[in-house]
Amino acid sequence: MAEFTMELNDEQKEVRDWLHGFAADVIRPAAAEWDEREETPWPVIQEAAKVGIYSLDFYAQQYFDATGLGIPMAMEELFWGDAGIALSIVGTGLAAVGVLANGTEEQIGTWIPQMYGDADDVKVAAFCSSEPDAGSDVSSMRTRAVYDEAKDEWVLNGTKTWATNGGIANVHVVVAVVDPELGSKGHASFIVPPNTPGLAQGQKFKKHGIRASHTAEVILDNVRVPGSCLLGGKEKLDERLARARERARTGGERVKNAAMATFEASRPAVGAMAVGTARAAYEVALDYAMTREQFGRPIIDNQGVAFQLADMRTQIDAARLLVWRASWMAVNGKPFTAAEGSMSKLFASETAKKVTAQAIQILGGNGYTREYPVERMHRDAAIYTIFEGTSEIQRLVIARTLSGLPIR
Ligand SMILES: Cc1cc2nc3c(=O)[nH]c(=O)nc-3n(C[C@H](O)[C@H](O)[C@H](O)COP(=O)(O)OP(=O)(O)OC[C@H]3O[C@@H](n4cnc5c(N)ncnc54)[C@H](O)[C@@H]3O)c2cc1C
């Protein structure tokens, strides 16, 4: 187990500086254009693939970094560049984590490379859990997976919504109900391979922020996938379902739900994205406050402005510490006994919303225009308190973990 450290080692510093250079030179200059176009920035993803940032190797290297700081450091730098473009670059990672968390070695080796493609032909992947009637309440999921034993195939039917890269992905990871009696314990994750008949994109959403990231419905109409596409395999699923049924009868040991396993691992990463956006807005605001003059002096000479910047920076640093702690715990297998993953996501996402709003205020009229990036950063920041569990759901998870009570 790696000791918890608050300092990046030399190798990590090198990676951070490299990522920062890409964020500053490639992502940030493209941000306003792709925000306006509201389209997936394929050329930027391709650029990231060429230099090795958009690749399984890079992601896996950061994911398995024993200090736990690899992923948060990478997310912070890329999202510092721009949240919409960065989500287009790292969105595939959520589907990849779904496979890493629940798949067999063979499934990991087969499907993750197809999620990324290569630098000449980049691909993306989608993780599809949310549904129109099952957002925070995953137990209301209706998408059904039925096993056709004669053909050793699973048949998927249902409608997924809010899927990042949904419909444009090469590989979709779909969470579906295999045993409706068991609520969220009766879910399983499936790979839907490229060009599988029956999978289609539904509505593409026009969003408030992160507009360079594609978000859409995914319709599954009698989608047939081979038995080998059930993540973890049939034997493991049958064992898990048997344990869940036993527990439902007797009230025994808790069985982990597949989608929840994915979210637990990814929440600190979302916190790190929020830190990146918050830091970006804070830097613009600090620079502006030091150069903009009113009443014959820089506006930072006023305590009212200077104290806001002091609070912004303090909260960003506090958010980063919570994110790094949770990430270190997750990588080193330490259980989240106080829901530390949720804490990090809750605090960092609320900080990003607050800090980006303060940045607009510090820039005055300019902050409210698209000539300056902080209004975009504020629109982008609003997503962090919504996806991968809203702030209210994070509080619910924290309160339940602390109290041991089924707080509603
Ligand atoms: C841009 C974007 C990208 C996304 N990407 C993906 C993706 O790739 N894959 C995927 O599966 N999903 C994705 N999502 C879905 C996202 O995770 C859901 O939007 C989120 O979980 C909330 O669900 P909901 O929108 O249905 O809101 P609801 O669950 O309907 O919540 C509405 C409001 O009620 C509150 N609320 C609900 N229940 C409670 C409660 N028990 N106590 C207190 N308050 C409560 C919520 O906090 C919220 O404020 C994405 C969403 C967006 C907007």
Side-chain angles (χ1 to χ4, degrees):
M1 192 183 78
E3 288 294 315
F4 178 65
T5 170
M6 290 189 291
E7 191 164 31
L8 300 176
N9 60 38
D10 287 346
E11 201 182 318
Q12 289 167 329
K13 281 183 190 155
E14 217 171 281
V15 175
R16 179 200 58 194
D17 294 346
W18 170 60
L19 289 171
H20 187 77
F22 186 82
D25 299 342
V26 182
I27 297 181
R28 185 70 71 85
E33 178 192 340
W34 292 99
D35 175 58
E36 287 295 334
R37 286 173 67 161
E38 299 195 44
E39 286 169 11
T40 301
W42 289 107
V44 186
I45 302 177
Q46 191 159 21
E47 205 57 33
K50 269 191 201 144
V51 297
I53 290 172
Y54 186 72
S55 73
L56 169 62
D57 279 359
F58 174 72
Y59 201 77
Q61 212 178 336
Q62 304 314 317
Y63 188 80
F64 292 111
D65 174 1
T67 68
L69 305 187
I71 287 286
M73 172 270 290
M75 295 296 169
E76 181 177 334
E77 291 311 322
L78 294 173
F79 281 72
W80 173 92
D82 176 63
I85 293 178
L87 191 61
S88 282
I89 293 173
V90 308
T92 296
L94 185 59
V97 169
V99 176
L100 283 172
N102 303 303
T104 62
E105 270 182 32
E106 198 184 336
Q107 288 169 330
I108 292 169
T110 305
W111 298 111
I112 298 188
Q114 296 193 47
M115 292 180 168
Y116 286 91
D118 56 52
D120 295 324
D121 185 18
V122 284
K123 306 285 186 200
V124 292
F127 179 76
C128 312
S129 172
S130 303
E131 296 182 4
D133 293 323
S136 302
D137 179 12
V138 283
S139 66
S140 298
M141 191 179 286
R142 291 203 198 128
T143 296
R144 201 64 173 91
V146 176
Y147 188 52
D148 178 347
E149 202 162 354
K151 292 188 172 158
D152 184 27
E153 285 178 348
W154 287 89
V155 187
L156 304 170
N157 276 291
T159 299
K160 293 293 177 184
T161 194
W162 305 123
T164 300
N165 298 334
I168 62 166
N170 201 35
V171 177
H172 290 76
V173 176
V174 174
V175 186
V177 178
V178 289
D179 185 339
E181 304 283 303
L182 293 174
S184 61
K185 307 287 184 288
H187 296 173
S189 296
F190 298 85
I191 293 283
V192 180
N195 306 315
T196 302
L199 184 148
Q201 182 185 306
Q203 181 190 0
K204 178 189 168 186
F205 296 104
K206 289 181 82 67
K207 304 195 299 295
H208 176 62
I210 53 164
R211 300 197 302 182
S213 169
H214 171 103
T215 316
E217 286 178 333
V218 173
I219 319 288
L220 301 142
D221 180 14
N222 279 322
V223 170
R224 284 186 164 267
V225 297
S228 59
C229 286
L230 165 66
L231 287 179
K234 183 87 167 54
E235 203 176 308
K236 207 168 146 201
L237 172 70
D238 288 342
E239 281 170 21
R240 184 164 62 78
L241 294 178
R243 280 203 308 276
R245 286 183 198 116
E246 183 63 18
R247 184 180 184 271
R249 262 200 310 276
T250 62
E253 182 205 351
R254 189 173 160 263
V255 182
K256 212 175 242 180
N257 159 283
M260 287 303 105
T262 303
F263 286 136
E264 269 180 30
S266 59
R267 276 176 184 158
V270 176
M273 299 172 190
V275 171
T277 300
R279 191 184 110 211
Y282 155 78
E283 286 176 7
V284 174
L286 176 65
D287 184 53
Y288 192 89
M290 308 230 301
T291 49
R292 168 71 175 167
E293 293 197 359
Q294 286 293 277
F295 302 99
R297 58 182 196 271
I299 58 170
I300 198 170
D301 271 5
N302 303 290
Q303 265 191 6
V305 175
F307 282 14
Q308 278 195 70
L309 285 156
D311 284 347
M312 287 158 78
R313 177 61 192 264
T314 303
Q315 284 165 22
I316 292 166
D317 280 17
R320 186 184 298 104
L321 285 177
L322 285 175
V323 166
W324 283 17
R325 176 181 72 167
S327 209
W328 169 75
M329 291 177 79
V331 168
N332 287 286
K334 286 197 163 284
F336 286 159
T337 52
E340 288 88 345
S342 289
M343 271 188 206
S344 71
K345 199 249 175 195
L346 170 64
F347 189 79
S349 59
E350 292 291 341
T351 294
K353 243 165 86 168
K354 206 160 40 182
V355 163
T356 52
Q358 284 173 303
I360 292 178
Q361 192 65 21
I362 290 171
L363 267 70
N366 281 332
Y368 200 63
T369 71
R370 296 195 182 182
E371 297 299 310
Y372 286 78
V374 290
E375 69 79 34
R376 185 182 68 248
M377 291 166 181
H378 185 50
R379 284 188 285 111
D380 292 344
I383 191 56
Y384 302 127
T385 62
I386 296 174
F387 69 5
E388 303 236 359
T390 64
S391 285
E392 291 72 27
I393 296 302
Q394 306 306 333
R395 290 187 178 100
L396 208 61
V397 171
I398 297 165
R400 279 178 185 161
T401 309
L402 296 179
S403 67
L405 297 172
I407 294 167
R408 289 193 298 150

